[in-house]
Amino acid sequence: MNDILKAVVLMATITYAIRLLPIAVFKSKIKSRFVRSFLFYTPFAVLGAMTFPAILYSTGNIYFSLAGTIAAIIPAYFEKSLFKVALSAVVVAAIFGAIF
Amino acid sequence: MISFNKIKESLDIKSVEDFKLGFRQGIPVMMGYIPVSFTFGLLAVQGGIDIWIAVLISMTNLTSAGQFAGINLIIAGAPMVEISVAMLVINIRYMLMSLSLSQKLPSFVSLFKRSAIAFGITDEIFAIASLEKRVITFPYMMGLVVAPYWGWAFGTLLGGVFTSLLPPLLQNSMGIALYAMFIALLVPAAKHSKAALAVILIAAFTSSAFKWMPALNQISAGWSIIISAVFASAVGALLYPKDGENIE
């Protein structure tokens, strides 16, 4: 089995184990307020760390990426759908790429 | 004997109804999943991954952020330990969702059925199931997951197939799509919650420091995300602890 397939099996196994363990084992709620709060904030923290600064390197040109980032933040602030926000960023980054 | 058959029949009808109810609730989730998995298929194939591997990842992982991070690490040739820890940290939120659903399931639901339900726990499926007023049943959960699951796989296939048809300029620009979707999730949360805003900013600044500061920039992108996220979540939990039962 090659390394890519091994990585895929690993990813699937870990992701499934995380989902399975509590529903199969835990009968009572987590008591620790810290742990509950930590888990509550984890998605925001992970997405924040994954997005910045990586988004600035996502199109191969930092200025086009910056334009695309701003083009994403504005519709996101007005709570447009995932698809519209993504489209806005891609189109603006492409327009900047075509002009400059 | 007749009454026994009647009971059995009514149970089966109930199962079919529950499945249908779940299926209907899953349709909008499927609609939302197709463009996201399309982007995943596109990025994976652009990064040199075979289409069938991309589809296999979608069919076995069924998680957006985890798959995107995983495929980036695979393309970058990251070691297995790094991929494992990244999956663990990114997907750890499913533990809380799984725990929450376990409290909502009737206690007689078997381990086998629980194992099947567990596979389908995503942010969106959890949100719908946990807000459902009725008792959660096994057929309901299976109905809920079926459309999003196949939508996720089909979108990945489409994205992989369409990659080569896109002009190069647009292909470069598509790289920003995933991050733009993260922004679409983050900005509304930050708008409504000061705590979420603080956690996002701390995570973003920390991971930027790992990218740009001398010495710190020796650390790989995978570990940078993990360390930044754990740090920001811990600060959030200390500064803005969540009370009561309303944590989702």
Side-chain angles (χ1 to χ4, degrees):
Chain A
M1 195 160 62
N2 69 32
D3 279 355
I4 292 177
L5 268 184
K6 272 186 210 159
V8 172
V9 171
L10 198 70
M11 283 165 59
T13 309
I14 291 170
T15 305
Y16 183 56
I18 290 168
R19 285 170 166 150
L20 178 62
L21 219 67
I23 206 169
V25 175
F26 283 91
K27 299 280 182 217
S28 56
K29 289 218 165 196
I30 292 176
K31 293 286 195 294
S32 161
R33 193 170 72 151
F34 178 78
V35 174
R36 289 164 64 96
S37 304
F38 181 92
L39 290 174
F40 177 81
Y41 291 118
T42 301
F44 303 120
V46 170
L47 289 175
M50 285 203 302
T51 308
F52 298 99
I55 192 169
L56 299 176
Y57 299 91
S58 62
T59 66
N61 177 305
I62 204 160
Y63 299 106
F64 303 165
S65 304
L66 193 62
T69 305
I70 294 163
I73 290 175
I74 293 166
Y77 185 81
F78 293 103
E79 307 191 24
K80 301 297 177 194
S81 70
L82 294 191
F83 187 69
K84 283 180 186 160
V85 171
L87 195 67
S88 166
V90 170
V91 168
V92 169
I95 289 171
F96 271 70
I99 294 173
F100 300 105
Chain B
M1 200 59 189
I2 290 165
S3 67
F4 175 78
N5 276 337
K6 267 193 173 164
I7 290 167
K8 192 170 172 289
E9 194 177 86
S10 72
L11 270 178
D12 287 346
I13 289 168
K14 172 92 170 58
S15 295
V16 172
E17 287 305 309
D18 280 3
F19 185 89
K20 280 186 184 165
L21 173 70
F23 186 81
R24 276 197 301 273
Q25 293 185 356
I27 301 286
V29 178
M30 177 194 75
M31 303 298 282
Y33 276 5
I34 288 176
V36 182
S37 57
F38 182 92
T39 312
F40 174 76
L42 204 117
L43 289 177
V45 171
Q46 266 181 25
I49 304 293
D50 291 341
I51 292 181
W52 75 271
I53 294 268
V55 175
L56 182 71
I57 292 174
S58 283
M59 294 183 76
T60 55
N61 282 255
L62 194 66
T63 171
S64 57
Q67 282 184 213
F68 280 111
I71 203 73
N72 280 335
L73 290 171
I74 289 173
I75 292 168
M80 296 290 171
V81 183
E82 211 170 284
I83 295 174
S84 307
V85 179
M87 286 308 106
L88 196 66
V89 173
I90 292 166
N91 290 331
I92 200 82
R93 68 185 187 282
Y94 292 137
M95 276 203 160
L96 202 61
M97 298 179 193
S98 172
L99 180 68
S100 166
L101 282 182
S102 77
Q103 317 282 308
K104 212 170 148 65
L105 272 181
S107 53
F108 61 78
V109 176
S110 68
L111 181 62
F112 174 77
K113 288 180 176 174
R114 283 168 186 261
S115 307
I117 291 169
F119 183 78
I121 300 172
T122 67
D123 298 353
E124 294 76 13
I125 288 167
F126 167 75
I128 291 173
S130 63
L131 294 175
E132 173 59 38
K133 296 279 188 294
R134 275 171 264 198
V135 176
I136 299 293
T137 64
F138 178 68
Y140 167 78
M141 288 303 293
M142 292 300 102
L144 182 57
V145 79
V146 69
Y149 179 78
W150 290 107
W152 188 247
F154 182 63
T156 307
L157 181 66
L158 278 185
V161 170
F162 272 88
T163 308
S164 47
L165 302 177
L166 288 175
L169 174 67
L170 210 55
Q171 276 189 34
N172 274 339
S173 308
M174 284 303 291
I176 203 171
L178 144 75
Y179 298 106
M181 280 183 225
F182 289 165
I183 284 183
L185 293 169
L186 289 175
V187 172
K191 184 177 151 187
H192 295 294
S193 156
K194 204 176 72 179
L197 176 64
V199 169
I200 293 162
L201 288 178
I202 292 165
F205 277 116
T206 313
S207 92
S208 298
F210 278 115
K211 177 80 181 178
W212 292 323
M213 300 267 281
L216 282 181
N217 63 14
Q218 299 302 308
I219 290 165
S220 72
W223 286 108
S224 157
I225 289 169
I226 293 158
I227 297 167
S228 308
V230 168
F231 175 66
S233 306
V235 172
L238 287 172
L239 292 183
Y240 308 98
K242 302 291 285 188
D243 288 305
E245 303 294 305
N246 56 353
I247 291 183
E248 283 178 0

